[in-house]
Amino acid sequence: MINVSVSKLFNQVDQSEFVLYAEWEDTGFKIIVLRPYTLPLNGEMGRENANYFLQDESESFEKYLEKTKHAFSGKNADIQFFLKDDTFTWKQQNILIRGEITVHPLSNILILSNTLKQSLELYQQCQECALNLKNENEHLIKVNTKLIGDIEEITNIKTTMEKDLYMKFISLLNAKKKKIRELQQALDNTRKTKTMFDKTTDEESESERSDVESRKKLCTKSPETKIYKSNEQETSSKNIRKNLKRFSSSEDTSPEPSTSKNNILQNIDTVSAMKTKQIYSSPSEESEEDMFA
């Protein structure tokens, strides 16, 4: 199958449109210019003629054919076409001539018939391709519609699941918060109870400590008390002796023997000694009773 292209171009000379038919080969290309109510014009360009229009020596003929095919497509706005008399020219930015072909009226009907045949074959292929593309497009539209419906359904299911999960999460979170508050309250109550026990123990320990200190003070003060009481006893015994002496001096004339006087003195000493012993013994006994009470 030959490589052909058809495009509608604009003639800058008479400001009219024309159809350009081109056949592309490895050695060059042929063109046919079709205009309304005018004989077709044909021409060709080979490798020898194309070398004159190459931009530089490094540009190859294949590269030039590719650029020319792109220019004939009419998609490049920088390329302008000029058809005047028997010369067909295309320029870049209306300055640089990119190609020039001498055209002649088509007089041989066989050439026109062959061109028409190729055009019809190409048209048939284009129709088949367009039909296939149309069927494929309809199938893709159906698939796309089905996918859109599936996506909407999945989105609705996802939204419902998210709402359910959110409600469950809220319930679980509230239950956890309630449990944490209960545990915190129980912990606070435990701390308060422990604080009360600590205070009671401290008060008891302080009372016990004060009792021990008072007992120690009592023990430390008891010898002084003993000495004080013993001093009082000695003073009282001395007073008794003085009174006895006075009594004895006043009764020197009495006929009582001296033994009775001595007995009285011994009894006084014995009584004073017993009282002194009671003084020393009684505080210690009281302190022991207080300690073990």
Side-chain angles (χ1 to χ4, degrees), residues 187-247:
L187 182 61
D188 293 339
N189 294 333
T190 305
R191 287 178 179 174
K192 289 180 181 179
T193 306
K194 185 177 179 182
T195 305
M196 292 174 64
F197 283 134
D198 291 341
K199 287 183 178 179
T200 306
T201 306
D202 293 339
E203 291 176 357
E204 290 178 355
S205 61
E206 288 178 359
S207 61
E208 291 177 357
R209 195 180 298 112
S210 62
D211 292 339
V212 171
E213 289 179 356
S214 62
R215 288 173 183 174
K216 287 182 179 179
K217 289 180 180 179
L218 182 61
C219 292
T220 53
K221 289 180 180 180
S222 60
E224 295 177 357
T225 307
K226 290 178 182 180
I227 294 168
Y228 176 73
K229 288 184 178 181
S230 62
N231 291 331
E232 287 183 351
Q233 186 65 32
E234 288 177 357
T235 305
S236 62
S237 61
K238 287 180 181 181
N239 292 328
I240 292 170
R241 287 178 182 273
K242 287 179 181 181
N243 293 326
L244 287 174
K245 285 180 181 181
R246 290 176 184 176
F247 179 76

Side-chain angles (χ1 to χ4, degrees), residues 108-126:
N108 192 351
I109 192 64
L110 294 177
I111 297 174
L112 184 60
S113 176
N114 189 22
T115 302
L116 182 60
K117 177 179 176 295
Q118 292 177 357
S119 299
L120 292 174
E121 290 176 354
L122 182 62
Y123 176 73
Q124 184 180 1
Q125 292 177 0
C126 291

Side-chain angles (χ1 to χ4, degrees), residues 117-138:
K117 177 179 176 295
Q118 292 177 357
S119 299
L120 292 174
E121 290 176 354
L122 182 62
Y123 176 73
Q124 184 180 1
Q125 292 177 0
C126 291
Q127 274 190 331
E128 291 177 356
C129 183
L131 183 61
N132 293 332
L133 291 174
K134 182 180 179 181
N135 294 332
E136 185 178 358
N137 188 30
E138 290 177 354

Side-chain angles (χ1 to χ4, degrees), residues 51-90:
N51 290 333
Y52 178 77
F53 299 101
L54 298 179
Q55 288 185 348
D56 49 37
E57 295 180 356
S58 62
E59 186 178 12
S60 62
F61 178 70
E62 289 76 11
K63 187 70 174 177
Y64 176 76
L65 285 179
E66 185 179 351
K67 289 183 178 180
T68 303
K69 187 183 293 186
H70 181 67
F72 284 0
S73 66
K75 296 178 180 179
N76 191 351
D78 294 337
I79 303 298
Q80 295 178 343
F81 300 94
F82 300 88
L83 179 60
K84 185 178 181 181
D85 297 335
D86 58 351
T87 304
F88 177 68
T89 308
W90 61 97

Side-chain angles (χ1 to χ4, degrees), residues 233-234 236-238 240-241 265-279:
Q233 186 65 32
E234 288 177 357
S236 62
S237 61
K238 287 180 181 181
I240 292 170
R241 287 178 182 273
L265 292 174
Q266 288 178 358
N267 291 329
I268 292 170
D269 292 334
T270 303
V271 171
S272 63
M274 290 177 65
K275 288 183 177 182
T276 304
K277 186 177 180 180
Q278 289 178 358
I279 290 169

